[in-house]
Amino acid sequence: MKYRILILSFIVCSFFQCESPNDKFQLIEKVFDTYGTIPDSLIKKEDWYYKDILDDSIPGISLEKAEKTILKNRKGREVIVAVIDGRFDINHPAIKDYIWENPSENLNYRDDDGNGYIDDMYGWNFMGNNNGDNASTVNQEYVRIVRLYKEHFKNKTLADISQEEVGKFNLYIKAKEKLEDELKKEEDKLVRLNDYYNTYITAREALKFWFPDYNYNLETLNQIDTINNPELAPHVKEIKEVIEWGETDEFNIHYNKKQNDRVHKVLNIDFNDRELVGDNPYDINDTIYGNNQVFAQANIFDHGTRVSSVITGVFRNYSENLKILPISKSPTGDYYDKDLALAIRYAVNKGAKVINMSFIKLFSLNNQWVLDAMKYAEAHNVLIVSAAGNLSTNVDDEIQYPLDKDSIGHEIVDNFLKVGGSSYTVNENLRAYFSSYGANDVDLFAPGYEIETAFPNHNTYGFPLYHTDSGTSLSTALVSGVAALIFSNYPDLTATEVKYILMDSGIAYTFPVKVPTKEDKNHKIPFDKLSKSGKIVNAYNALLMAERVSKE
């Protein structure tokens, strides 16, 4: 294939000093096969993910190095990154100047651009209706599978099933087992949480005289006479723990509701999670639904804001070249395959060059619809970047969606990347402890541990507007950001070329890292065996490679 030949020619040139406008910049070619020498406690954590392994001894993406060299005095073009996620605080200072605006639409209750979506000025929300109502809680996919097949396979065993339905029956049994297991765990968790919550409410009311607005502080707590009023002692202790953990009254109420919703809605086969939306989620031709409220309840559902802010962070010095296109799917539970398929097509039709998908699920009823949408994106030269997930599992053994493979394991598109998460330590902890991995199905890694992200105004955690967070969602966002940088500066590259540039130009770390198993908590695997490329994405190398490939 052309892109492979081009990349191979680049690698040959890098070793034999071919002439290039960027010859003054040297590719970071070293393979790191031993642990670093800087103790973790001495690593400067601020913006560590932008640092360089050679200049700073920190395994970041070398963005600062690229900004000072390759990108210096360079003007790129505008590029659109679609973020398919929950909801978005489009007025947050970290992302508001980057939010895409539909040039063919006006806020006038009409479908000006003729795509069927009225007033899609800033994107589209596939989890709402035209009355302005928005669904916030949906089932896990395995719950939908059980609901769909429960009556059909009731009281049947494999011996009763025709050959044509064996696949569906096995899917139903697997989903049923998963539901029973999860429901038991979540119900037990709810009991414990309710006990804690009731203890908190009791303490809150007992101390209301001192804290009528529930604004607690240690100074006042320490003045309460618990010696002469011993009945107050446990309540004071409870509220001190609340302060210690940084919990707010709003957070405790929200967290309790969230767990109740998980048991009584997300895992409830009798909960109709699509009634509010009003479409048929199993009819791919039923496409006109939702609303334009990508910002609805963004203070509660903050994931989309956090992910978007990591992408905008990559463009911190090139803000005029990036637009974020927000597209909302279900903020809780599992996405519907139809919603994701239509969201991908929407992003492509609106001119996105990169689609960020920082989420996973373990079951899929209609994955073919998503695969067809991926093919549509590939045909229109759009790169899709997806998360490996935070389950710390080998995704080669346990399938996770979205996935670019069909039902028999054939990879059907070449514009899809799956990203794992790394940390700032050049040692056995380089793989972020939560990150899933897979030598076949994870393509590369990127920093995903203690990344500064934007939290919405008035978020339920009580966090400030900026707070560190971790997860492969953020690793995915960094890769999307680097991909967008490449497209911005080298717009003639194809999505497939950019995919392999990102994979082949990364930094290899070959020393063993912790990958605990049930049998061996100290189990280790060489880092380069955890993904197809064996590397961590590197913006500096990727841009160097992109320039040289673009000139072939």
Side-chain angles (χ1 to χ4, degrees), residues 169-340:
F169 179 76
N170 288 335
L171 179 64
Y172 166 71
I173 293 300
K174 184 179 178 182
K176 184 171 177 288
E177 291 173 350
K178 178 67 174 176
L179 174 57
E180 290 171 350
D181 181 56
E182 288 296 315
L183 193 56
K184 176 67 169 62
K185 288 191 295 187
E186 296 300 331
E187 285 176 337
D188 290 345
K189 183 177 178 180
L190 180 59
V191 170
R192 296 193 301 271
L193 185 61
N194 280 337
D195 287 343
Y196 167 77
Y197 183 71
N198 291 334
T199 300
Y200 164 70
I201 292 297
T202 301
R204 188 180 74 160
E205 296 308 309
L207 302 180
K208 193 172 183 178
F209 174 81
W210 291 273
F211 305 101
D213 297 323
Y214 311 122
N215 293 320
Y216 308 113
N217 64 81
L218 289 175
E219 183 179 357
T220 304
L221 281 171
N222 289 332
Q223 292 174 2
I224 297 175
D225 184 2
T226 57
I227 296 177
N228 294 315
N229 300 280
E231 72 280 1
L232 295 178
H235 305 314
V236 170
K237 180 176 181 294
E238 173 68 22
I239 299 303
K240 282 185 176 180
E241 290 178 355
V242 167
I243 295 175
E244 179 183 351
W245 286 97
E247 298 170 358
T248 64
D249 192 61
E250 183 182 17
F251 171 79
N252 280 309
I253 293 172
H254 166 72
Y255 196 71
N256 184 264
K257 181 183 182 302
K258 184 178 179 180
Q259 187 62 22
N260 271 280
D261 282 349
R262 179 153 181 82
V263 170
H264 299 300
K265 293 182 179 180
V266 175
L267 299 178
N268 183 359
I269 63 172
D270 295 321
F271 173 64
N272 184 352
D273 62 358
R274 208 65 177 191
E275 182 177 10
L276 183 147
V277 178
D279 72 314
N280 179 356
Y282 302 114
D283 180 3
I284 191 61
N285 296 310
D286 180 8
T287 61
I288 308 304
Y289 63 95
N291 60 38
N292 65 352
Q293 296 183 24
V294 296
F295 46 80
Q297 296 178 291
N299 65 312
I300 298 175
F301 305 112
D302 50 59
H303 193 266
T305 304
R306 287 184 276 145
V307 167
S308 298
S309 71
V310 174
I311 300 172
T312 62
V314 176
F315 277 76
R316 55 191 178 165
N317 294 321
Y318 320 98
S319 58
E320 69 279 4
N321 292 337
L322 175 68
K323 292 298 177 186
I324 296 292
L325 168 54
I327 307 175
S328 294
K329 59 153 189 77
S330 55
T332 61
D334 285 333
Y335 65 86
Y336 273 92
D337 291 319
K338 187 180 88 166
D339 293 344
L340 180 55

Side-chain angles (χ1 to χ4, degrees), residues 49-50 61 310-311 314 446-448 451 474-483:
Y49 36 94
Y50 295 151
I61 66 171
V310 174
I311 300 172
V314 176
I451 310 295
L474 310 181
S475 308
T476 303
L478 279 174
V479 173
S480 290
V482 176

Side-chain angles (χ1 to χ4, degrees), residues 526-538:
F527 184 84
D528 62 318
K529 304 303 181 185
L530 298 180
S531 67
K532 189 177 293 185
S533 71
K535 298 176 181 179
I536 292 177
V537 73
N538 189 273

Side-chain angles (χ1 to χ4, degrees), residues 511-531:
F511 50 75
V513 297
K514 289 181 179 178
V515 184
T517 65
K518 291 181 180 179
E519 296 76 21
D520 183 4
K521 293 183 178 179
N522 297 312
H523 182 63
K524 294 180 182 179
I525 298 176
F527 184 84
D528 62 318
K529 304 303 181 185
L530 298 180
S531 67

